[in-house]
Amino acid sequence: MRLMARPRTPKGRARRTHELLAEEYPEAVCELDHENPFQLLVATILSAQCTDKRVNMVTPALFAAYPTPADLAEAPLARVEELVRSTGFFATKARNIVGMAQGLLDRFDGTVPTKMSDLVSLPGVGRKTANVVRSVALGLPGLPVDTHVARITGLLGITEQKDPVKIELELNPMVPAAERGEFSLRLILHGRRVCVARRPRCHECVLASFCPSAGG
């Protein structure tokens, strides 16, 4: 393993984090099952305050019943609520995904738009969801900031921001545009597997040597 000087700046820590997590998780993929941008948009809306595993249990029946934006836009709300109930906050989520499908149909010819401003104009779609869809399904720059990304970048001293949008905007210049989605995915994987919120396994962490919170 090559020896490297300890990074002294937030940008340096971000770059080193990016390099080491790329070695640790070379196959970083989104864990929400989907076949197209529309399905990922629906799944990401449903994933709010819910595990990807639970969402993946729900979406096969949902997509079988309503495979396109046109189908979902005309779906009975009560039926959609029933299908997504186990993801939590089901009434709001059902209303959002049906409203989102109607928005796609009315304003974007049934196609998931690529622009951030267009995506966040849809019901239930914030910057995090828009960045997931842009980076994973559309091949565009996007750095989703979830609780793992926010927590780990804070622990590493990469950012002192607490608001997810401010974190994203501060991180963006530190990571090459085409790699922002992978940077986020790897931080999420690291947060789930090693830097666990309740009991971080610092002795297993490839970032411990320069993480202020690990005393490295």
Side-chain angles (χ1 to χ4, degrees), residues 13-30:
R13 287 190 287 274
R15 183 170 59 248
R16 181 69 57 79
T17 297
H18 189 32
E19 292 170 352
L20 292 174
L21 292 186
E23 294 176 2
E24 193 76 359
Y25 310 106
E27 301 286 331
V29 295
C30 176

mmCIF file of all heavy atoms in Angstrom, residues 13-30:
data_model
loop_
_atom_site.group_PDB
_atom_site.id
_atom_site.type_symbol
_atom_site.label_atom_id
_atom_site.label_comp_id
_atom_site.label_asym_id
_atom_site.label_seq_id
_atom_site.Cartn_x
_atom_site.Cartn_y
_atom_site.Cartn_z
ATOM 1 N N ARG A 13 -8.856 16.151 1.719
ATOM 2 C CA ARG A 13 -9.515 15.019 2.375
ATOM 3 C C ARG A 13 -10.591 14.411 1.487
ATOM 4 O O ARG A 13 -10.776 13.189 1.464
ATOM 5 C CB ARG A 13 -10.100 15.473 3.721
ATOM 6 C CG ARG A 13 -9.028 15.707 4.777
ATOM 7 C CD ARG A 13 -9.617 15.911 6.158
ATOM 8 N NE ARG A 13 -10.248 17.201 6.311
ATOM 9 C CZ ARG A 13 -9.624 18.323 6.668
ATOM 10 N NH1 ARG A 13 -8.314 18.307 6.879
ATOM 11 N NH2 ARG A 13 -10.285 19.454 6.819
ATOM 12 N N ALA A 14 -11.304 15.259 0.755
ATOM 13 C CA ALA A 14 -12.319 14.750 -0.178
ATOM 14 C C ALA A 14 -11.663 13.914 -1.277
ATOM 15 O O ALA A 14 -12.147 12.833 -1.631
ATOM 16 C CB ALA A 14 -13.108 15.904 -0.787
ATOM 17 N N ARG A 15 -10.557 14.412 -1.808
ATOM 18 C CA ARG A 15 -9.862 13.686 -2.882
ATOM 19 C C ARG A 15 -9.335 12.349 -2.381
ATOM 20 O O ARG A 15 -9.482 11.317 -3.034
ATOM 21 C CB ARG A 15 -8.731 14.555 -3.444
ATOM 22 C CG ARG A 15 -7.999 13.899 -4.615
ATOM 23 C CD ARG A 15 -7.062 14.888 -5.307
ATOM 24 N NE ARG A 15 -6.069 15.421 -4.382
ATOM 25 C CZ ARG A 15 -6.017 16.692 -3.972
ATOM 26 N NH1 ARG A 15 -6.938 17.556 -4.401
ATOM 27 N NH2 ARG A 15 -5.077 17.096 -3.149
ATOM 28 N N ARG A 16 -8.724 12.360 -1.176
ATOM 29 C CA ARG A 16 -8.195 11.112 -0.625
ATOM 30 C C ARG A 16 -9.329 10.123 -0.318
ATOM 31 O O ARG A 16 -9.213 8.916 -0.568
ATOM 32 C CB ARG A 16 -7.393 11.397 0.656
ATOM 33 C CG ARG A 16 -6.770 10.166 1.291
ATOM 34 C CD ARG A 16 -5.630 9.573 0.456
ATOM 35 N NE ARG A 16 -4.628 10.569 0.226
ATOM 36 C CZ ARG A 16 -3.699 10.941 1.113
ATOM 37 N NH1 ARG A 16 -3.657 10.362 2.298
ATOM 38 N NH2 ARG A 16 -2.818 11.854 0.813
ATOM 39 N N THR A 17 -10.415 10.639 0.227
ATOM 40 C CA THR A 17 -11.584 9.795 0.501
ATOM 41 C C THR A 17 -12.084 9.148 -0.786
ATOM 42 O O THR A 17 -12.376 7.947 -0.825
ATOM 43 C CB THR A 17 -12.707 10.638 1.132
ATOM 44 O OG1 THR A 17 -12.257 11.158 2.386
ATOM 45 C CG2 THR A 17 -13.969 9.812 1.349
ATOM 46 N N HIS A 18 -12.164 9.948 -1.835
ATOM 47 C CA HIS A 18 -12.627 9.461 -3.135
ATOM 48 C C HIS A 18 -11.718 8.343 -3.640
ATOM 49 O O HIS A 18 -12.192 7.292 -4.103
ATOM 50 C CB HIS A 18 -12.641 10.634 -4.112
ATOM 51 C CG HIS A 18 -13.283 10.346 -5.420
ATOM 52 N ND1 HIS A 18 -14.329 9.462 -5.578
ATOM 53 C CD2 HIS A 18 -13.031 10.835 -6.667
ATOM 54 C CE1 HIS A 18 -14.687 9.424 -6.855
ATOM 55 N NE2 HIS A 18 -13.914 10.237 -7.530
ATOM 56 N N GLU A 19 -10.414 8.540 -3.544
ATOM 57 C CA GLU A 19 -9.445 7.550 -4.033
ATOM 58 C C GLU A 19 -9.537 6.241 -3.243
ATOM 59 O O GLU A 19 -9.575 5.149 -3.821
ATOM 60 C CB GLU A 19 -8.023 8.112 -3.918
ATOM 61 C CG GLU A 19 -7.733 9.270 -4.859
ATOM 62 C CD GLU A 19 -6.395 9.943 -4.541
ATOM 63 O OE1 GLU A 19 -5.790 9.587 -3.500
ATOM 64 O OE2 GLU A 19 -6.001 10.836 -5.301
ATOM 65 N N LEU A 20 -9.563 6.353 -1.923
ATOM 66 C CA LEU A 20 -9.544 5.145 -1.091
ATOM 67 C C LEU A 20 -10.853 4.375 -1.157
ATOM 68 O O LEU A 20 -10.851 3.137 -1.184
ATOM 69 C CB LEU A 20 -9.226 5.529 0.358
ATOM 70 C CG LEU A 20 -7.801 6.045 0.605
ATOM 71 C CD1 LEU A 20 -7.649 6.530 2.038
ATOM 72 C CD2 LEU A 20 -6.763 4.975 0.285
ATOM 73 N N LEU A 21 -11.972 5.088 -1.207
ATOM 74 C CA LEU A 21 -13.253 4.379 -1.305
ATOM 75 C C LEU A 21 -13.436 3.756 -2.679
ATOM 76 O O LEU A 21 -14.122 2.730 -2.814
ATOM 77 C CB LEU A 21 -14.412 5.323 -0.977
ATOM 78 C CG LEU A 21 -14.490 5.792 0.478
ATOM 79 C CD1 LEU A 21 -15.774 6.591 0.700
ATOM 80 C CD2 LEU A 21 -14.418 4.635 1.465
ATOM 81 N N ALA A 22 -12.828 4.344 -3.715
ATOM 82 C CA ALA A 22 -12.885 3.732 -5.048
ATOM 83 C C ALA A 22 -12.150 2.394 -5.055
ATOM 84 O O ALA A 22 -12.559 1.449 -5.738
ATOM 85 C CB ALA A 22 -12.288 4.676 -6.091
ATOM 86 N N GLU A 23 -11.066 2.309 -4.281
ATOM 87 C CA GLU A 23 -10.345 1.035 -4.162
ATOM 88 C C GLU A 23 -11.136 0.040 -3.304
ATOM 89 O O GLU A 23 -11.144 -1.153 -3.597
ATOM 90 C CB GLU A 23 -8.966 1.279 -3.527
ATOM 91 C CG GLU A 23 -8.028 2.105 -4.385
ATOM 92 C CD GLU A 23 -6.711 2.397 -3.687
ATOM 93 O OE1 GLU A 23 -6.529 1.919 -2.535
ATOM 94 O OE2 GLU A 23 -5.887 3.103 -4.278
ATOM 95 N N GLU A 24 -11.799 0.550 -2.274
ATOM 96 C CA GLU A 24 -12.529 -0.300 -1.342
ATOM 97 C C GLU A 24 -13.824 -0.837 -1.954
ATOM 98 O O GLU A 24 -14.214 -1.979 -1.715
ATOM 99 C CB GLU A 24 -12.847 0.500 -0.069
ATOM 100 C CG GLU A 24 -13.317 -0.328 1.091
ATOM 101 C CD GLU A 24 -12.192 -1.078 1.783
ATOM 102 O OE1 GLU A 24 -11.022 -0.987 1.357
ATOM 103 O OE2 GLU A 24 -12.486 -1.773 2.774
ATOM 104 N N TYR A 25 -14.503 0.015 -2.738
ATOM 105 C CA TYR A 25 -15.794 -0.359 -3.339
ATOM 106 C C TYR A 25 -15.763 -0.071 -4.848
ATOM 107 O O TYR A 25 -16.400 0.862 -5.333
ATOM 108 C CB TYR A 25 -16.941 0.438 -2.700
ATOM 109 C CG TYR A 25 -16.949 0.425 -1.193
ATOM 110 C CD1 TYR A 25 -16.574 1.542 -0.460
ATOM 111 C CD2 TYR A 25 -17.333 -0.724 -0.491
ATOM 112 C CE1 TYR A 25 -16.581 1.531 0.928
ATOM 113 C CE2 TYR A 25 -17.333 -0.740 0.901
ATOM 114 C CZ TYR A 25 -16.949 0.388 1.603
ATOM 115 O OH TYR A 25 -16.955 0.373 2.976
ATOM 116 N N PRO A 26 -14.997 -0.876 -5.600
ATOM 117 C CA PRO A 26 -14.879 -0.600 -7.050
ATOM 118 C C PRO A 26 -16.206 -0.736 -7.788
ATOM 119 O O PRO A 26 -16.436 -0.065 -8.788
ATOM 120 C CB PRO A 26 -13.863 -1.649 -7.523
ATOM 121 C CG PRO A 26 -13.889 -2.722 -6.477
ATOM 122 C CD PRO A 26 -14.194 -2.031 -5.185
ATOM 123 N N GLU A 27 -17.083 -1.600 -7.284
ATOM 124 C CA GLU A 27 -18.372 -1.812 -7.941
ATOM 125 C C GLU A 27 -19.473 -1.114 -7.143
ATOM 126 O O GLU A 27 -20.323 -1.761 -6.529
ATOM 127 C CB GLU A 27 -18.672 -3.318 -8.041
ATOM 128 C CG GLU A 27 -17.636 -4.115 -8.809
ATOM 129 C CD GLU A 27 -17.715 -3.876 -10.307
ATOM 130 O OE1 GLU A 27 -18.826 -3.576 -10.786
ATOM 131 O OE2 GLU A 27 -16.676 -3.991 -10.980
ATOM 132 N N ALA A 28 -19.448 0.181 -7.134
ATOM 133 C CA ALA A 28 -20.466 0.938 -6.396
ATOM 134 C C ALA A 28 -21.701 1.108 -7.267
ATOM 135 O O ALA A 28 -21.646 1.724 -8.333
ATOM 136 C CB ALA A 28 -19.918 2.296 -6.001
ATOM 137 N N VAL A 29 -22.811 0.531 -6.841
ATOM 138 C CA VAL A 29 -24.049 0.625 -7.617
ATOM 139 C C VAL A 29 -25.195 1.035 -6.708
ATOM 140 O O VAL A 29 -25.183 0.789 -5.498
ATOM 141 C CB VAL A 29 -24.397 -0.716 -8.307
ATOM 142 C CG1 VAL A 29 -23.345 -1.079 -9.339
ATOM 143 C CG2 VAL A 29 -24.562 -1.830 -7.282
ATOM 144 N N CYS A 30 -26.188 1.645 -7.304
ATOM 145 C CA CYS A 30 -27.406 1.991 -6.582
ATOM 146 C C CYS A 30 -28.132 0.699 -6.220
ATOM 147 O O CYS A 30 -28.297 -0.192 -7.057
ATOM 148 C CB CYS A 30 -28.286 2.880 -7.453
ATOM 149 S SG CYS A 30 -29.880 3.288 -6.724
#
